[in-house]
Amino acid sequence: MRADSRSTAEERRRTVIHSAVTVFARSGYATSPVTRVADHAGISSAYVMKLFPRKVDLFVAAIDDCYDRIVDVLEKAADEAGHAEATEVLDRMGARYAELIADRDLLLLQVQALATTQTPEVAAAVREGVGRITSLATSRAGADASQAQEFVARGQLCHLLTAVDAFDTDADWAAALTTGIRHGPAS
């Protein structure tokens, strides 16, 4: 196989995974047929099935891609923070994460993944992703267990608040839960 055909195959694989993120985020795992992902990607269903023989394989690839993007952004934020104290590094990482989940597809894919953890492969992918984020908080930010726990918990709160548009809600409960949390509107 020539290098350019491998490149094209890898590009198509990336296209399929990005389409899977969008489709599964918007429709969920159970109600999203592989054909919808293929249509979104502009690639035949047969080719998608060749790449991902089982639907769960495609969903896990989408979850892995999601966590890859998160870890990449958090690593860059940690690099930008340099040798700052753990709280400063975590704050920078959190701010970058808030920008990242303004992408509603990325946010909702994580929600859909959590809702599908009864599927062992999905549960394993989510555990791996959360583990990577936690390891990054402790290794790169120098967070202790309590700080790492707070960081992940705040991220989960941000999911909830962003998913329900709490930042644009004029209610006492929303004001209480969004105090001190910086977010832009979800796209």
Side-chain angles (χ1 to χ4, degrees):
M1 184 179 282
R2 294 186 344 240
D4 59 344
S5 64
R6 277 194 300 265
S7 174
T8 301
E10 183 57 30
E11 288 170 11
R12 277 187 260 166
R13 180 180 170 78
R14 299 290 320 143
T15 298
V16 169
I17 292 171
H18 284 277
S19 289
V21 168
T22 299
V23 170
F24 288 131
R26 295 177 185 180
S27 303
Y29 174 69
T31 59
S32 297
V34 172
T35 55
R36 189 176 302 153
V37 175
D39 289 345
H40 187 274
I43 296 173
S44 75
S45 296
Y47 189 77
V48 172
M49 293 303 291
K50 180 179 175 186
L51 293 172
F52 303 98
R54 301 177 310 151
K55 180 175 153 179
V56 71
D57 298 330
L58 180 56
F59 191 50
V60 166
I63 294 166
D64 290 344
D65 180 72
C66 176
Y67 282 111
D68 287 346
R69 290 170 56 194
I70 292 166
V71 168
D72 182 56
V73 164
L74 296 181
E75 284 177 337
K76 287 177 183 167
D79 289 345
E80 291 166 2
H83 298 291
E85 294 291 319
T87 53
E88 173 64 23
V89 177
L90 291 172
D91 282 348
R92 286 179 184 235
M93 289 168 60
R96 293 293 296 278
Y97 183 69
E99 294 169 6
L100 186 64
I101 64 169
D103 175 345
R104 198 150 186 95
D105 289 343
L106 191 69
L107 164 73
L108 291 177
L109 182 71
Q110 291 177 76
V111 173
Q112 297 289 0
L114 287 172
T116 313
T117 55
Q118 75 279 7
T119 303
E121 297 92 337
V122 173
V126 172
R127 276 193 304 273
E128 172 69 22
V130 172
R132 289 173 62 198
I133 292 167
T134 304
S135 293
L136 185 63
T138 57
S139 66
R140 295 290 292 279
D144 61 28
S146 177
Q147 290 170 313
Q149 182 183 55
E150 172 68 24
F151 180 73
V152 172
R154 186 171 277 253
Q156 291 301 304
L157 176 61
C158 290
H159 286 175
L160 171 65
L161 297 175
T162 303
V164 300
D165 296 323
F167 296 98
D168 295 326
T169 301
D170 187 25
D172 291 342
W173 69 265
L177 292 179
T178 59
T179 297
I181 299 176
R182 301 171 304 243
H183 270 273
S187 56

